[in-house]
Structures are given as C-alpha cells and as structure tokens.
Amino acid sequence: MDKLIPTWNEKYSIHDTMIDIQHQKLFELAGKVESAVYKFVKREELKEILTELFNYMKEHFNNEEQYMQEIHYPYLNEHKIMHKNIIHDMSYLIQNIKTTNDLKEKLYTIMSEWLLEHILHHDVMIGNWLSDQILSKQEEELEKINEEILYENTPTTPTAKQVKHKEYEFIYSCPCRTNHILSYTEHLDILCHKKQLRCKKCQKNLFYVKSELKD
C-alpha cells in the first residue's frame, strides 16, 4: 500500500533550525502512526502513539506561534486558528477511536489537511515570506547605495537586483467544474473565517482543490 506520509525534504524547510527540527520530528511521528495503522496493532497501542504525536504537535504549535510573533508574520492570527482547528480534530480523533479501520478512514483526512496541507504549504510560506523580507531589505539598501553613487556623479552604477517573490495561487473548483484561482488571503478567509465564495456561473460554493507556486 502506498504511504501517505512523505519523507522529510529540505524543500519543506522554513529556514529556522528549531522549527525545521520539530517538523522533521513530526514527520517521523506521523509516519509511525501510519505504519502502526497498516500493521494492525492493538487499539490501545495505536492510541498511545497518536497521543505522543498529539502532545508533540501542541508543543510545536506553541513554539511556532512564538516564532511567527517574533518575525511579525502578517498571518499569525489565521495561523493560530488553523492550529486550534488541528488540535481540536486530533483530540476528537484520539478520544473516539473504536477500531483501526475507523482510524484509517479518519487518518487520511487529518494527515492530508494537517501534515500535507498545513506544513507543506502554510508553514513553508512562513519561510518564503521571511526570505522575501530579507531580500526586499537588501534591495532597498542597494538602491540607497545607487542613489548615493548617482548623487556623487559616478559614471558607472550597479543595477539593483530585482527580487521575484514566491507567490502561491490557490485553485478552487465548483460543481460546474470551473477553475477559480484565489489569493492566499482569500484562501485564508475561507479556511479560517468560514467565508463562502460562489461561482458566478453555477452559483454554488467553491471548494479547495490544490495550491501551486506561480510561474
């Protein structure tokens, strides 16, 4: 059976040592849960492994929120809401495990919405945003240097480096199968603030499909 949990890769890094180490640990714990499910371990043993993941996840979320506050991440509040929803879902899952088959059905949703969507997209965006801030600051400093050189009538001046920010687009669809490209802010409004957007053609609510980096 194909594994749901991917192997940790540097492309998932947010460029903070502590957070990256915690993400690697969460990948390991999530993989441990998945392996236990497919080995058909006893319910109590499975519950113990899930509890280990749950407790580490809460610790990580707390550290990550402190980090986002320190770097003044603009989507901190929305990120906190996502963390709260994940904790709620995991808590409910642990408390209501009846059979391994029951867990297997819920595991896909929890892991795909949390590990695959949250860490691989929303957390990676923290690193991308911070990199953009650093590059923008460097660009501003270079432009100041250029202005000073121009002011001194120097014949040759270096050209300011143009920074291409990493931007994502969020692809939604609807019953009439029209693709709708939403911004991150619009995506967060739907995800965190329960905002509903409708297709102008079929007048039905949009539903999330995937996110991609813009070319």
Side-chain angles (χ1 to χ4, degrees):
M1 183 172 292
D2 294 336
K3 288 180 66 65
L4 170 64
I5 307 303
T7 303
W8 168 263
N9 188 296
E10 281 300 319
K11 67 182 179 181
Y12 306 142
S13 170
I14 71 166
H15 311 300
D16 179 81
T17 303
M18 181 188 73
I19 301 299
D20 283 346
I21 289 174
Q22 290 183 353
H23 279 169
Q24 291 179 55
K25 177 68 174 178
L26 287 168
F27 268 70
E28 291 174 9
L29 291 173
K32 191 175 178 181
V33 173
E34 185 179 32
S35 296
V37 168
Y38 295 128
K39 287 179 181 177
F40 299 101
V41 299
K42 293 180 180 179
R43 185 167 65 94
E44 288 306 314
E45 184 180 348
L46 189 55
K47 201 168 185 176
E48 186 176 321
I49 296 172
L50 266 173
T51 300
E52 180 185 8
L53 170 63
F54 179 67
N55 290 336
Y56 192 81
M57 192 168 61
K58 287 194 294 183
E59 177 186 346
H60 163 65
F61 283 171
N62 182 55
N63 291 334
E64 190 173 77
E65 288 170 10
Q66 290 178 3
Y67 172 68
M68 287 187 287
Q69 189 166 358
E70 289 171 3
I71 65 173
H72 306 292
Y73 186 59
Y75 300 112
L76 171 60
N77 290 333
E78 286 81 1
H79 216 96
K80 282 184 174 180
I81 292 173
M82 284 187 272
H83 285 170
K84 184 178 179 180
N85 290 339
I86 291 168
I87 292 294
H88 176 270
D89 290 346
M90 284 294 291
S91 178
Y92 181 83
L93 176 66
I94 292 171
Q95 292 172 14
N96 292 274
I97 295 175
K98 295 178 181 178
T99 65
T100 52
N101 286 333
D102 177 45
L103 172 62
K104 191 185 299 185
E105 293 177 3
K106 297 174 182 175
L107 178 67
Y108 180 84
T109 301
I110 294 295
M111 292 307 179
S112 61
E113 290 183 358
W114 165 57
L115 189 71
L116 301 183
E117 174 61 21
H118 185 74
I119 291 181
L120 306 191
H121 293 290
H122 295 287
D123 282 357
V124 166
M125 285 181 190
I126 300 172
N128 290 342
W129 176 84
L130 185 59
S131 295
D132 286 347
Q133 301 307 302
I134 294 171
L135 288 172
S136 294
K137 187 174 182 180
Q138 291 174 342
E139 185 182 27
E140 288 176 5
E141 291 174 352
L142 186 56
E143 287 177 350
K144 286 181 181 179
I145 292 173
N146 288 344
E147 290 175 0
E148 291 174 0
I149 293 174
L150 285 170
Y151 182 76
E152 294 172 359
N153 295 317
T154 303
T156 58
T157 60
T159 303
K161 180 180 179 182
Q162 296 300 314
V163 179
K164 183 180 180 182
H165 299 296
K166 292 181 180 178
E167 294 184 1
Y168 287 80
E169 56 185 18
F170 293 81
I171 301 172
Y172 279 70
S173 190
C174 58
C176 71
R177 297 184 179 181
T178 301
N179 276 348
H180 304 266
I181 309 301
L182 304 187
S183 67
Y184 187 45
T185 302
E186 291 171 324
H187 173 63
L188 287 177
D189 281 339
I190 294 173
L191 187 66
C192 301
H193 303 303
K194 308 303 179 185
K195 184 176 180 180
Q196 292 185 341
L197 295 181
R198 297 178 183 273
C199 171
K200 292 182 179 179
K201 187 186 296 184
C202 68
Q203 294 300 311
K204 299 295 183 181
N205 288 342
L206 306 186
F207 55 84
Y208 174 72
V209 177
K210 62 181 179 178
S211 59
E212 294 179 343
L213 269 172
K214 288 184 179 179
D215 295 330

